[in-house]
């Protein structure tokens, strides 16, 4: 620390208390490092870090310690060599597509029932930029194989558990098919979380999370992350150095803190979602329930295999019998504990009307093709008591009709 005793007040106000000598202790929890500058004894070190011949930090758009701690935790939990964090899940998806080589003149084969913004990113932005996008139901493996053989795409894109229809992707088979046709497999693992599924272990090349959801887990932080090989990670790093969609240190800290209770939360969310799904499936006002934990779900056995019997996820969707948009809105307004907020994966139980929120950017025809009707409601189970949640759903269903 510089000796400030003979310096003027303004100089002391700037430098006092800063740059304490290196500590001889290690904090138990990772500190938040909000600095945008890093000092080294030798400028040669700074130069070597810029040249990537030495590890370190020079500027937070290139990397920063709290963010690096979050990245390293995600690489560990997903079983990947490396991870790169982004300011949001959408930032992570865009970067993964670019790092996988999606460009003008290339093709992407993608599931049609993706999160609405991912669908629109592919269908509008990438299409406008000159890429070709072919949507294929990824649960129809022969249709996927046909599309891959015909188009030889750069990337195959799927969600482990799809938003909002809860279809489960056969990741090992999709990885095999993608690689046989020269494509990389990109998997959005947001709904499953690394607790239930590690797509890299099943052959995926890029795993993407909206860490805003289960990973952060408390509804108070927006973040995204891609887990991949060390080589692909270098591509993400070079890209984000230029486009700047970086995660901030405060957000990285919140996400890292949330991550620590991921297994506790997801176990409770899976148990709550299972009880709610079973109850809804028997309810006379409910026309259908999508939840991989129900034995009637078309990919129930696959989900059990992929998720190692640890659960089937915290999200489900259901169709209120004969409901139009207004009936669903009245149902959502009548809820007292379940919150009608536009997110998922929190400790709070959350409901959403996909047609007017998560999938609003799709045209009515696109939604109809994908199977998202006006009466569809998505529910993300929180960690509250399941009986209280069911009582809330019961009174809201009664008052809405
Ligand atoms: C499955 C899935 N992927 C990605 C995203 C985008 O994440 P973010 O909102 O953090 O950009 C969402 C958002 O809801 C999502 O549900």
């Amino acid at each position: 620390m510089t000796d400030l005793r003979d310096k003027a007040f303004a100089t002391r106000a700037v430098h006092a208390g800063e740059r304490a000598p290196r500590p001889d202790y290690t904090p138990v929890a990772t500190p938040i490092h909000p600095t945008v500058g890093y000092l080294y004894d030798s400028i040669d070190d700074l130069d070597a870090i810029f040249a990537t011949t030495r590890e370190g930090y020079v500027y937070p758009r290139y990397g920063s310690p709290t963010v690096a701690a979050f990245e390293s935790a995600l690489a560990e939990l997903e079983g990947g060599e490396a991870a790169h964090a982004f300011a949001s899940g959408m930032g992570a998806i865009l970067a993964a597509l670019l790092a996988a080589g999606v460009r003008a003149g290339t093709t992407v084969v993608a599931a049609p029932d993706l999160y609405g913004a991912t669908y629109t990113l592919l269908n509008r932005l990438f299409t406008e930029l000159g890429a070709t996008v072919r949507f294929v139901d990824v649960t129809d493996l022969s249709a996927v194989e046909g599309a891959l053989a015909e188009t030889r795409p750069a990337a195959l894109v799927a969600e482990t558990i799809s938003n909002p229809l809860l279809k489960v992707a056969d990741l090992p088979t999709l990885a095999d098919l993608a690689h046989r046709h020269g494509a990389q497999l990109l998997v959005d693992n947001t709904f499953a979380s690394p607790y239930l599924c590690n797509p890299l272990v099943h052959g995926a090349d890029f795993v993407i999370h909206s860490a805003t959801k289960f990973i952060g887990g408390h509804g108070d932080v927006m973040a995204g992350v891609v887990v991949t090989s060390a080589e692909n990670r270098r591509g993400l790093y070079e890209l984000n150095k230029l486009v700047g969609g970086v995660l901030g240190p405060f957000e990285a800290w919140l996400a890292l803190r949330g991550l620590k209770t991921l297994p506790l939360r997801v176990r409770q969310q899976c148990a709550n979602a299972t009880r709610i799904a079973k109850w809804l499936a028997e309810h006379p006002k409910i026309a259908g329930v999508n939840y991989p934990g129900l034995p009637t779900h078309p990919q129930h056995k696959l989900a059990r295999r992929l998720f190692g019997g640890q659960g089937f996820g915290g999200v489900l969707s259901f169709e209120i019998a004969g409901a139009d948009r207004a009936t669903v809105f009245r149902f959502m307004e009548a809820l007292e504990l379940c919150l009608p907020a536009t997110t998922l994966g929190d400790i709070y139980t959350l409901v959403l009307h996909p047609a007017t929120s998560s999938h609003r950017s799709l045209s009515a025809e696109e939604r109809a093709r994908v199977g998202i009707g006006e009466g569809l409601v998505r529910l993300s189970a929180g960690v509250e008591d399941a009986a209280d949640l069911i009582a809330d759903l019961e009174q809201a269903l009664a008052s809405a009709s």
Side-chain angles (χ1 to χ4, degrees):
M1 220 178 335
T2 316
D3 186 352
L4 295 172
R5 274 172 297 186
D6 61 343
K7 302 290 186 286
F9 188 88
T11 305
R12 286 187 287 129
V14 171
H15 292 282
E18 296 285 12
R19 299 176 295 280
R22 277 189 200 109
D24 62 353
Y25 59 87
T26 306
V28 172
T30 297
I32 304 171
H33 294 272
T35 185
V36 290
Y38 305 87
L39 301 175
Y40 294 87
D41 293 340
S42 157
I43 304 301
D44 292 329
D45 283 338
L46 201 62
D47 185 46
I49 296 163
F50 267 120
T52 67
T53 54
R54 205 211 107 153
E55 295 219 347
Y57 304 103
V58 291
Y59 190 61
R61 185 155 38 77
Y62 296 32
S64 59
T66 317
V67 176
F70 172 65
E71 291 170 338
S72 130
L74 253 295
E76 169 67 35
L77 296 183
E78 276 292 6
E81 285 177 1
H84 199 292
F86 295 86
S88 69
M90 288 314 300
I93 290 170
L94 172 68
L97 285 163
L98 292 172
V102 177
R103 299 279 182 281
T106 65
T107 299
V108 180
V109 172
D113 54 327
L114 296 167
Y115 169 54
T118 310
Y119 178 95
T120 307
L121 176 76
L122 290 168
N123 200 33
R124 298 227 185 109
L125 186 67
F126 272 100
T127 304
E128 280 165 22
L129 292 174
T132 302
V133 181
R134 173 81 75 89
F135 289 107
V136 180
D137 180 354
V138 295
T139 63
D140 181 346
L141 295 170
S142 60
V144 173
E145 177 149 36
L148 292 171
E150 195 190 320
T151 64
R152 301 286 301 174
L156 171 62
V157 181
E159 293 173 354
T160 308
I161 306 175
S162 76
N163 182 2
L165 297 174
L166 288 301
K167 292 184 185 176
V168 179
D170 183 345
L171 299 180
T173 308
L174 291 177
D176 183 47
L177 290 176
H179 295 157
R180 272 202 270 138
H181 293 91
Q184 306 212 61
L185 177 63
L186 277 63
V187 177
D188 181 332
N189 198 33
T190 300
F191 270 38
S193 91
Y195 176 67
L196 290 183
C197 185
N198 290 150
L200 295 174
V201 172
H202 298 298
D205 300 285
F206 292 83
V207 174
I208 303 145
H209 284 279
S210 165
T212 315
K213 314 299 180 191
F214 288 96
I215 288 173
H218 294 73
D220 53 12
V221 61
M222 174 155 271
V225 66
V226 180
V227 190
T228 183
S229 65
E231 188 188 338
N232 285 336
R233 202 266 179 191
R234 267 192 294 283
L236 295 167
Y237 164 78
E238 292 298 339
L239 183 79
N240 218 31
K241 256 165 62 175
L242 299 177
V243 301
V246 288
L247 188 64
F250 293 94
E251 287 75 13
W253 187 86
L254 278 170
L256 182 61
R257 181 173 141 132
L259 193 56
K260 297 180 192 313
T261 54
L262 180 76
L264 308 177
R265 288 184 280 107
V266 174
R267 277 202 291 273
Q268 185 64 33
Q269 287 165 311
C270 289
N272 283 355
T274 301
R275 269 188 68 183
I276 293 168
K278 285 185 177 157
W279 177 79
L280 285 170
E282 300 291 315
H283 199 288
K285 291 198 169 116
I286 300 301
V289 181
N290 305 308
Y291 184 60
L294 294 177
T296 49
H297 187 282
Q299 293 93 38
H300 177 64
K301 286 202 180 100
L302 167 68
R304 185 178 290 284
R305 203 162 15 96
L306 271 186
F307 309 154
Q310 301 198 92
F312 296 92
V315 186
L316 57 105
S317 60
F318 55 96
E319 196 83 39
I320 303 180
D324 57 8
R325 183 177 289 201
T327 310
V328 173
F329 283 11
R330 299 299 80 82
F331 163 73
M332 289 168 67
E333 286 162 1
L335 289 164
E336 289 167 4
L337 276 179
C338 305
L339 307 173
T342 312
T343 187
L344 64 101
D346 287 355
I347 47 171
Y348 310 105
T349 294
L350 303 156
V351 292
L352 166 150
H353 182 232
T356 51
S357 51
S358 61
H359 291 71
R360 194 183 183 102
S361 58
L362 279 68
S363 66
E365 295 72 40
E366 285 172 321
R367 279 196 299 274
R369 246 196 323 273
V370 174
I372 300 169
E374 287 290 322
L376 186 75
V377 178
R378 190 186 79 193
L379 184 147
S380 171
V383 299
E384 305 95 328
D385 185 274
D388 287 337
L389 297 172
I390 287 171
D392 191 31
L393 292 164
E394 174 77 270
Q395 67 76 24
L397 278 171
S399 85
S401 46

